[in-house]
Amino acid sequence: MERVVIYGGTGGIGLATARALRARGAALHLVGRDSERLERAAAELGETGFTAGDVTDPALFPRVADEVGDRLGGLVYAVGTIQLAPVAKLDPARIEADFRINALGAFLAVQAAVPALKASVAAGAGEGSAGVVLFSTVAAAQGFSHHASVAMAKGAVEGLALSLAAELAPAIRVNVVAPSLTRTPLAESITRNATLASGIASMHALQRLGEPEDVAALAAFLVSPEAGYVTGQVIGVDGGRSSLRTKG
Ligand SMILES: NC(=O)c1ccc[n+]([C@@H]2O[C@H](COP(=O)([O-])OP(=O)(O)OC[C@H]3O[C@@H](n4cnc5c(N)ncnc54)[C@H](OP(=O)(O)O)[C@@H]3O)[C@@H](O)[C@H]2O)c1
């Protein structure tokens, strides 16, 4: 597989996806704000470059494109927020921040990568199409209280992915992974409370929270040539939370 860029590649799900893609033989390019974490991850993974920067800065995306070069086999955008708040506590600045990080950042990342993704496919890298994976949440398809801002932003990601999947086919496939609560640094404020975590786990048919590797396994598959006939899909990795009720 050709090089894959992973925004948020030092995070819980992003780093697990990086490891899963390295196991499939892909070279990588990671993006995040903290250069020491990027350096550590690149040293662990091997064949991995990185760019330090903030996805709220539009200048980041062309810089990543320059540093990645003119060929790219796939893209994963694993940056996101979980700022839960009742409606009365939300303000435009908070909602805009969620939108910029989750949705606008995903758009700008794909936009900057399209020429290199198309160039790889045109050069006949032997894989038929390039894979893009974006992240939503179980809370976009299910209504959960206090999730208004993140649900708006992730709903936008799902709409974006469908439009991109139509427009960029057949060269580029675009899919969305929608996790339920997963044990990563992002979710730590919720998962570190053992009583709360086990209460939430019990709402899932599979009776546990997600692990980063659960989510990464699907993300790595969707980027890879094995998923060459899968595009325009939103797929839950959610222990059944989006579709199953085991009580009542
Ligand atoms: N964990 C969950 O329960 C859960 C549930 C549903 C959906 N998701 C989604 O899954 C995806 C991955 O989440 P995660 O749980 O793996 O998060 P995480 O562990 O917090 O990792 C986030 C990654 O993004 C980077 N990052 C954060 N803000 C950034 C910014 N402004 N600019 C550039 N990089 C930034 C972080 O590195 P730096 O801090 O060094 O920048 C890190 O590499 C997200 O889209 C999230 O919304 C997660």
Side-chain angles (χ1 to χ4, degrees), residues 68-83:
V68 164
D70 53 9
R71 299 264 287 265
L72 191 60
L75 181 147
V76 177
Y77 187 85
V79 183
T81 52
I82 309 183
Q83 296 196 65

Side-chain angles (χ1 to χ4, degrees), residues 161-235:
L162 291 181
S163 180
L164 291 175
E167 184 170 335
L168 302 176
I172 302 172
R173 299 173 296 99
V174 184
N175 292 290
V176 178
V177 177
S180 187
L181 191 64
T182 304
R183 292 187 184 278
T184 72
L186 183 67
E188 208 181 347
S189 61
I190 305 169
T191 58
R192 72 171 162 236
N193 177 331
T195 312
L196 184 58
S198 77
I200 296 172
S202 73
M203 294 170 187
H204 295 71
L206 298 182
Q207 297 293 304
R208 66 173 176 88
L209 300 185
E211 297 296 334
E213 293 73 20
D214 294 321
V215 183
L218 179 63
F221 166 72
L222 289 171
V223 172
S224 78
E226 281 171 87
Y229 201 50
V230 183
T231 192
Q233 303 302 308
V234 179
I235 305 177

Side-chain angles (χ1 to χ4, degrees), residues 1-6 18 21-22 24-29 47-48 68-76 113 115-131 171 173 220 223-225:
M1 249 174 105
E2 284 210 80
R3 190 171 296 274
V4 176
V5 63
I6 308 180
L21 283 166
R22 282 296 291 136
R24 288 170 179 264
L28 302 174
H29 190 94
E47 285 203 55
T48 298
V68 164
D70 53 9
R71 299 264 287 265
L72 191 60
L75 181 147
V76 177
L117 292 166
K118 283 191 170 165
S120 283
V121 176
E127 290 158 2
S129 59
R173 299 173 296 99
V223 172
S224 78

